[in-house]
Amino acid sequence: MAKQDYYETLGVSRSAGAEDVKKAYRKLAMKYHPDRNAGEKSAEQKFKEISEAYDVLKDEEKRAAYDRFGHAAFDGAAAGGGSHGADFGFNFGGGFADIFDEMFGEFTRGTRRPQEGRVRGADLRYNMEITLEEAFHGKQATIRVPAAAACESCGGSGAAKGSKPVTCPTCHGRGRVRAQQGFFTIEHTCAACHGAGQVIDNPCGTCRGTGRVQREKTLAVTIPAGVEDGTRIRLSGEGEAGLRGGPPGDLYIFLTIKPHPYFQRDGANLHMRVPIAMTAAALGGVIEVPTVDGGHARVTIPEGTQSGHQFRLKGKGMSVMRSPGRGDMFIRTVVETPVKLTKRQKELLKEFEGAGSPGRTSPQSAGFFAKVKDAWEGIKETGKG
C-alpha cells in the first residue's frame, strides 16, 4: 500500500514554512495522541504517520530530499541500508522529543526530582486587619503563626539519630518510575518514595519521618506608612519548613483596612462629607474638621455655599508609600435643612420668605421652576392649536 504524501498527512501545502508545519503537527498530535485515545488502534496508527511526516518535513535536508525523490529518498533507511538511509534515515524519536517536551512536560521535565529528596516548604498566608490611621502612620506588629518547623531531633532529615535516608529501591533514586503503554514509555511519580528518591528505614520518633513538627512562632512585622487595602507583605523563609532538610517557604501577609466612620479613601486622597447648618451655608463661617493624622483643619465656608460644594485641603490626605509626600483631603458639604422648628423659628422663616425676592436669594430653584412653567405653557398652547 502506497504511503500518503507527507504534506497531505499534516494538511499543509508544499510551500508551508517550518512554523506552519510545526503548528499543524502539534494540532494533530494532540488529537491523535494515544493517551487521549486509549485502545484505539486507528488513532495509534495515525499518530505514527503524522510523527513520521513531521520528522521528515521539520528537517531542511530531509525535506529537500523528500521534495526531490518522494518516499524513495528514505527506502534505504526502512530496509536497514543504502546511502539515502545513512543521510536521511527516519528517526521517530526526533519529532517526539522536539514537540512533546513542550506539550507533555510530564514525559521530560517532570522526571526531575528535588536534589537528594529535599522538598521546599509550603508558603503561608496571614490575614491582618489594620485601621486607616495605622495605614497612615505605619506600625510595628507582632503576630503568632502556626507552622511546620524543622524537627530538632533529626535536623529535618526525618531519619532517627545515627541513621539517614537511603536510596529508594523502587525508582533507584530517580523519584519516578516508567511504565510501557503501547509504543510509549510513560513516567509517573514513584509510589514508594512519593517522588523523593529516598526512603527512611528508621524514622525519627519525634516527627515520625516527616522531618517537621508543628510549632507556633512569633514574628515582628513592619507595616510601612501608606499601605493600601490588599497590600501583600512577603517575609522570606518564614513559611513552613521544607521536607527532609529542604528550604522553607515564605510567609505572605495580606492587609485589609477597616472602614472609617468619616473618611473614604481613593488612593492617596481622602474624601469626607461634612453636614453644615443652613445658616452657616447662607451666612458663611468657619468649621473645623478632623484629619487622618489626628489633628484638625479649619475650613472657611463662604456665603451662599450650596450642597455638594467641594473644598480641597492640599497635603492633608494619606501618606504615600516610600515617599515623603501626602495626598489631598476633599471636603464635600451637605447643607442640612432645619428640623423640629419652634413656632418662633417658623414665623421668622415665613417672614424671611416674604421679605425677599426668590429669584435673588434662591436662584437655582427659582430658575428651575420658571423653566418648568414655560414648558407647561408651551404644551398648553400646542394642545389648543
Side-chain angles (χ1 to χ4, degrees):
M1 181 179 177
K3 283 187 177 182
Q4 185 180 20
D5 180 84
Y6 285 153
Y7 291 99
E8 293 179 1
T9 299
L10 295 182
V12 296
S13 66
R14 289 185 169 270
S15 60
E19 190 61 31
D20 293 329
V21 170
K22 183 176 181 180
K23 287 180 180 178
Y25 173 67
R26 290 189 62 174
K27 183 178 179 180
L28 293 170
M30 291 290 287
K31 181 178 180 180
Y32 293 105
H33 189 273
D35 282 355
R36 295 191 172 192
N37 302 273
E40 294 186 20
K41 293 295 183 181
S42 59
E44 183 176 324
Q45 180 59 36
K46 184 66 175 178
F47 187 77
K48 288 181 180 180
E49 293 173 359
I50 61 177
S51 297
E52 179 181 338
Y54 177 70
D55 186 73
V56 171
L57 299 185
K58 74 182 179 69
D59 185 282
E60 291 185 6
E61 292 185 2
K62 291 181 182 180
R63 182 172 179 176
Y66 179 73
D67 289 344
R68 184 175 181 183
F69 302 107
H71 293 295
F74 311 106
D75 286 346
S83 59
H84 290 309
D87 292 335
F88 306 111
F90 167 67
N91 177 10
F92 172 76
F96 175 83
D98 289 345
I99 292 294
F100 277 79
D101 183 56
E102 299 178 20
M103 294 192 296
F104 302 100
E106 177 73 13
F107 299 116
T108 53
R109 292 183 296 274
T111 60
R112 301 172 187 169
R113 62 179 180 83
Q115 185 180 7
E116 298 180 2
R118 295 196 295 266
V119 180
R120 181 181 182 275
D123 294 332
L124 295 178
R125 172 173 178 152
Y126 185 92
N127 296 324
M128 180 186 293
E129 188 177 54
I130 61 175
T131 64
L132 187 67
E133 288 81 2
E134 289 172 334
F136 171 80
H137 292 289
K139 66 175 292 188
Q140 295 290 326
T142 300
I143 62 174
R144 299 178 69 84
V145 182
C151 176
E152 296 179 359
S153 300
C154 63
S157 70
K161 192 173 182 179
S163 64
K164 61 181 181 179
V166 298
T167 301
C168 175
T170 303
C171 64
H172 305 291
R174 295 182 66 249
R176 305 184 68 81
V177 293
R178 294 180 176 181
Q180 197 71 28
Q181 182 176 334
F183 63 91
F184 269 105
T185 298
I186 310 299
E187 289 193 351
H188 57 83
T189 302
C190 176
C193 65
H194 304 290
Q198 296 179 326
V199 293
I200 299 174
D201 291 333
N202 186 15
C204 170
T206 303
C207 64
R208 298 181 180 180
T210 64
R212 303 185 300 185
V213 291
Q214 286 296 321
R215 295 269 174 82
E216 187 176 68
K217 54 185 176 182
T218 303
L219 299 171
V221 182
T222 299
I223 309 297
V227 293
E228 297 192 30
D229 193 77
T231 296
R232 185 183 70 173
I233 298 175
R234 173 175 171 260
L235 299 183
S236 180
E238 296 295 351
E240 290 198 335
L243 281 171
R244 298 176 182 174
D250 299 329
L251 172 64
Y252 291 91
I253 299 174
F254 286 78
L255 298 176
T256 302
I257 300 178
K258 297 178 183 177
H260 198 276
Y262 307 131
F263 301 114
Q264 290 80 47
R265 185 177 183 178
D266 180 16
N269 296 327
L270 292 175
H271 296 265
M272 182 169 60
R273 296 173 73 250
V274 179
I276 59 174
M278 182 187 71
T279 51
L283 302 176
V286 177
I287 61 172
E288 279 195 349
V289 295
T291 53
V292 71
D293 56 11
H296 291 82
R298 293 170 64 87
V299 181
T300 300
I301 305 296
E303 292 182 11
T305 295
Q306 303 296 314
S307 262
H309 185 84
Q310 184 169 271
F311 299 89
R312 178 187 178 192
L313 304 182
K314 193 172 182 181
K316 292 295 184 179
M318 290 294 292
S319 304
V320 179
M321 242 186 11
R322 303 183 185 88
S323 170
R326 286 179 61 177
D328 299 330
M329 179 174 166
F330 295 90
I331 306 297
R332 188 175 296 276
T333 59
V334 180
V335 179
E336 187 177 18
T337 302
V339 295
K340 299 181 180 179
L341 298 176
T342 65
K343 182 179 179 181
R344 178 55 181 157
Q345 287 172 326
K346 291 179 181 179
E347 291 173 351
L348 290 172
L349 284 177
K350 288 179 180 179
E351 185 178 337
F352 166 78
E353 185 180 24
S357 170
R360 185 172 64 85
T361 57
S362 303
Q364 291 187 29
S365 62
F368 173 79
F369 287 110
K371 290 179 181 178
V372 170
K373 182 179 179 181
D374 291 342
W376 276 107
E377 292 296 333
I379 293 173
K380 289 180 180 179
E381 290 297 326
T382 303
K384 292 178 181 180

